Amino acid sequence: MNTPSKSAPSKELSCQLLLSLAVLCSGARSRLIEYRRLKRKDERRRRRQRKANVDVECFRLDFELNVIVDLAFTDAMNGKELGKLVRQMGRVWGIQKSKPLVYLSPDASLPPLEDISSSMAYVIGGLVDESGVGSLSKHRAESLDIEVRRFPIVEYMKRANRGTFNVMLTINQVVEVLARYAYCRRWDQAFVAVIPKRSGYVLKGT
């Protein structure tokens, strides 16, 4: 007597299981895609709310602050760095006048900037240097025979236990330090308000 074959039903059952799994996987994938889409949408909404709720601190300067951005470093930057430069320039604007120049560079070998004057114009290197080449703005100033100074950050601040310990500021941060110092005439207050906490620098005596 012939034994009934079980291969056909087993094969049919396997196909049904595979089809069910495929449907489940497809549904799970669709739900995952929709979840990610909604999450991105919510994140964009939260970012817009944060930007709308940011309090912009404004203060009036009874001081003529002259700032020039030197844009001679484009060949030294890659596409990403150039993009950041454009965004930084979007936050500031410079007024070029015929005045004595002081080039600001964190690599300056001369004594730090002690004070600022409305009779001087302060030059900022239009450079985003994520590769850490360094000293480009200093070399540029020296080639133009312009006095090079740095902010007195290490004179007023010390290293904390952790941080990047990077004293290179963005263009808009340099302008803000100058503006805040022109307003309050105190480097410590200007540095605390502008220098990022992640740098690891804190005021001396704290």
Side-chain angles (χ1 to χ4, degrees):
M1 187 173 72
N2 294 332
T3 304
S5 175
K6 296 183 180 180
S7 59
S10 298
K11 185 176 181 180
E12 182 179 352
L13 180 60
S14 298
C15 290
Q16 290 177 351
L17 287 173
L18 289 173
L19 181 61
S20 299
L21 287 172
V23 171
L24 287 173
C25 290
S26 177
R29 184 173 181 273
S30 298
R31 288 194 295 272
L32 179 61
I33 292 173
E34 179 66 11
Y35 169 76
R36 288 176 175 173
R37 186 186 69 81
L38 293 175
K39 186 177 180 181
R40 287 194 297 268
K41 183 178 179 181
D42 186 60
E43 288 175 350
R44 288 194 296 268
R45 179 183 60 81
R46 290 175 182 271
R47 282 198 297 269
R48 287 194 297 268
Q49 286 181 344
R50 284 197 296 268
K51 288 182 179 179
N53 294 332
V54 169
D55 293 327
V56 179
E57 184 179 359
C58 299
F59 47 88
R60 180 177 178 178
L61 289 179
D62 295 322
F63 183 92
E64 184 181 352
L65 179 60
N66 302 289
V67 176
I68 299 171
V69 179
D70 183 1
L71 298 176
F73 300 95
T74 53
D75 291 340
M77 290 180 281
N78 57 36
K80 181 181 178 182
E81 292 170 337
L82 284 170
K84 289 189 174 183
L85 172 64
V86 171
R87 288 194 293 273
Q88 291 175 22
M89 288 297 297
R91 299 187 179 102
V92 299
W93 63 91
I95 302 175
Q96 185 167 357
K97 296 187 177 182
S98 178
K99 293 191 175 186
L101 304 178
V102 174
Y103 211 116
L104 299 176
S105 171
D107 304 302
S109 54
L110 291 175
L113 195 67
E114 295 181 357
D115 199 2
I116 61 176
S117 170
S118 59
S119 64
M120 306 289 292
Y122 298 91
V123 184
I124 304 168
L127 173 68
V128 175
D129 180 18
E130 293 189 334
S131 59
V133 175
S135 300
L136 291 177
S137 57
K138 176 187 174 184
H139 296 328
R140 166 75 171 166
E142 290 174 344
S143 69
L144 297 173
D145 197 24
I146 299 175
E147 179 182 333
V148 191
R149 299 278 180 163
R150 62 174 175 82
F151 282 148
I153 295 176
V154 296
E155 281 73 21
Y156 285 86
M157 307 189 82
K158 64 180 181 180
R159 290 188 175 192
N161 293 329
R162 63 180 63 181
T164 62
F165 306 120
N166 184 2
V167 294
M168 294 180 64
L169 303 178
T170 62
I171 295 171
N172 49 293
Q173 287 170 343
V174 173
V175 173
E176 187 175 354
V177 167
L178 289 170
R180 286 182 178 275
Y181 178 78
Y183 176 72
C184 66
R185 314 305 292 189
R186 290 188 56 175
W187 288 116
D188 55 349
Q189 291 186 9
F191 293 150
V192 167
V194 178
I195 294 178
K197 292 182 179 180
R198 65 177 179 274
S199 71
Y201 280 96
V202 296
L203 286 179
K204 290 183 177 180
T206 58

